[in-house]
Amino acid sequence: RSHEMNLPDDMTAIEISQPGGPETLTPARRTVPMPGPGQIVICVAYAGVNRPDVLQRLGAYAPPPGASDLPGLECAGHVAAVGAGVTRWQVGDAVCALLPGGGYAEYALTPADHALPVPEGLSLAEAACLPETCFTVWSNIVMRGGLQAGERFLVHGGSSGIGTTAIQIAAALGARVWATAGSDEKC
């Protein structure tokens, strides 16, 4: 396992120059983040685009205190550095991860526990789209709600990213699933 920081000093990142449309996303030079205890740095191959990223770009969503001001709540790539105490990951591992912002950059920092191995058979591009929805659904319906096989499960907004993921995870767990959506077209 390598804890050595063999990273460049700076990187290209995409900043929000001012609230507005996609044209307000501008490249900038930033310092590459260094991992603290329990953290990893990912060399980003792909970043997911989520509703909060769009809302942040529009000026309607502020990052939580201490989080990166850069958009990007999920990514996939390879572990570039590991912080003290990280034993699950090593430099070079292919991961997808939930981020506290910062995914619109060449390197992103996240707690090591927020990373997952890239699922077998998925590309990095496909894996970059998993963390936000999968972590949200798993933490809510499995960890908090305790959904089990044979139970009934109702998904409101079943045509959204979270909704379709909830349907799939609940069905895979053996629950009987119903869903609603906001229009006949979405149904």
Side-chain angles (χ1 to χ4, degrees):
R1 296 192 194 285
S2 174
H3 295 280
E4 296 297 315
M5 304 306 137
N6 192 14
L7 299 173
D9 292 332
D10 62 341
M11 65 179 177
T12 299
I14 303 300
E15 295 178 335
I16 301 169
S17 62
Q18 62 186 13
E23 69 281 356
T24 68
L25 296 173
T26 58
R29 297 304 289 171
R30 290 278 184 105
T31 301
V32 172
M34 291 293 149
Q39 296 177 322
I40 61 173
V41 173
I42 299 168
C43 180
V44 177
Y46 295 92
V49 178
N50 291 279
R51 182 175 170 84
D53 299 316
V54 174
L55 293 174
Q56 183 179 353
R57 180 181 41 81
L58 293 170
Y61 176 85
S68 173
D69 65 322
L70 299 174
L73 299 176
E74 62 185 348
C75 76
H78 292 89
V79 175
V82 297
V86 174
T87 58
R88 181 175 184 190
W89 305 111
Q90 55 188 331
V91 171
D93 287 344
V95 296
C96 56
L98 186 63
L99 307 170
Y104 288 19
E106 290 181 280
Y107 294 91
L109 179 70
T110 196
D113 290 344
H114 290 190
L116 296 170
V118 172
E120 188 175 325
L122 291 187
S123 68
L124 289 174
E126 293 164 329
C129 303
L130 295 177
E132 182 71 21
T133 57
C134 290
F135 271 90
T136 299
V137 170
W138 190 264
S139 68
N140 282 289
I141 72 170
V142 177
M143 295 172 71
R144 296 174 97 189
L147 185 66
Q148 297 178 25
E151 292 184 324
R152 295 178 179 133
F153 184 67
L154 174 62
V155 178
H156 287 294
S159 63
S160 70
I162 293 288
T164 57
T165 302
I167 291 166
Q168 292 174 65
I169 288 176
L173 291 172
R176 189 165 178 199
V177 182
W178 286 269
T180 66
S183 69
D184 288 341
E185 181 180 312
K186 288 181 181 181
C187 287

